[in-house]
Amino acid sequence: LALAAATVLLVLADIASMRALKKAATRAAAAKLTMITAIFASVYMIVQGISWLPLLAQVGERINGSIVGGTLKHAGGLFLMLTFAHAIHVLGGIIANVVVLARSKDGKGPHRDSLRMLYAYWRFLTVMWVAVLALLAV
């Protein structure tokens, strides 16, 4: 359920970013959509954190139990590694959205070139997320 919710949130962030680029001429609308992109991505991060809790607890139990050489099950470890690496990149995208909004000092909104780069970034992250899910489903 968490993976489905995370997927929906990331797709919504991607769509909001695409719409921001399409609304670049109306810079105030583009700014609003750029903020919405960051919000969807932030909620994605929360959902991911929730999905990690059981696995992180398992890691903590192994550390506290002093199991030398004990490792998380391969599937759980792979899930953590891939989704954490992806989440770090999503965090980078959130920061990029905030920076683009902060740099639009004229109060009208971000410039087309910035929106184009953000859109490319969010599209790439969405495609990579689908690849991660496909890999985890195998």
Side-chain angles (χ1 to χ4, degrees):
L1 185 60
L3 288 178
T7 302
V8 168
L9 288 163
L10 199 57
V11 168
L12 289 173
D14 184 15
I15 291 169
S17 179
M18 177 184 63
R19 293 201 59 217
L21 178 58
K22 288 184 178 184
K23 297 272 187 182
T26 312
R27 292 175 64 193
K32 181 179 177 183
L33 286 161
T34 300
M35 182 57 68
I36 289 170
T37 300
I39 291 168
F40 280 133
S42 297
V43 177
Y44 164 90
M45 295 290 289
I46 292 167
V47 169
Q48 281 299 82
I50 291 169
S51 72
W52 295 331
L53 290 176
L55 294 172
L56 292 174
Q58 189 178 4
V59 170
E61 289 171 10
R62 291 187 183 280
I63 292 170
N64 291 334
S66 299
I67 298 174
V68 177
T71 58
L72 195 59
K73 291 181 180 178
H74 293 295
L78 181 63
F79 175 83
L80 277 176
M81 180 186 71
L82 291 175
T83 59
F84 187 76
H86 189 266
I88 292 297
H89 289 89
V90 171
L91 180 60
I94 294 168
I95 292 168
N97 277 44
V98 171
V99 167
V100 164
L101 286 171
R103 286 188 176 173
S104 56
K105 295 178 183 176
D106 57 11
K108 295 179 183 173
H111 296 279
R112 178 176 287 284
D113 290 340
S114 297
L115 293 170
R116 190 175 291 121
M117 287 186 281
L118 286 175
Y119 169 66
Y121 191 80
W122 287 110
R123 178 54 46 103
F124 176 75
L125 285 179
T126 302
V127 169
M128 288 308 299
W129 179 247
V130 171
V132 165
L133 289 178
L135 182 64
L136 291 172
V138 171

